[in-house]
Amino acid sequence: MVRFHERTFPGETKEYRQQRDQLLEAEIALRKQLEEVARRRRVLPRGGAVPESYIFEEGAADLAD
């Protein structure tokens, strides 16, 4: 496990710090995964043409509304 910094909270235990560091590792991994998914989405080829016109059945008819 990586220690991310030397600063500690007043009265924090070793167990608390270990769990906080594990949480931070998980958050960093999640961020990297989200960035990878976003990258993959950006490089997708264009999808097929919409076969017919359609109208949304919910919400305002005009986006300006």
Side-chain angles (χ1 to χ4, degrees), residues 3-21:
R3 175 113 184 176
F4 292 97
H5 52 80
E6 297 302 318
R7 179 170 282 167
T8 59
F9 295 113
E12 84 176 22
T13 64
K14 183 177 177 181
E15 178 185 15
Y16 176 83
R17 174 50 43 199
Q18 288 174 342
Q19 289 184 19
R20 288 287 301 187
D21 287 347

Side-chain angles (χ1 to χ4, degrees), residues 3-44:
R3 175 113 184 176
F4 292 97
H5 52 80
E6 297 302 318
R7 179 170 282 167
T8 59
F9 295 113
E12 84 176 22
T13 64
K14 183 177 177 181
E15 178 185 15
Y16 176 83
R17 174 50 43 199
Q18 288 174 342
Q19 289 184 19
R20 288 287 301 187
D21 287 347
Q22 289 172 357
L23 176 61
L24 184 54
E25 280 181 352
E27 290 171 336
I28 290 168
L30 176 60
R31 170 55 80 182
K32 287 178 180 179
Q33 185 177 13
L34 286 169
E35 290 172 357
E36 174 61 15
V37 168
R39 183 194 67 75
R40 288 181 180 192
R41 184 177 293 120
R42 287 190 298 271
V43 299
L44 277 174

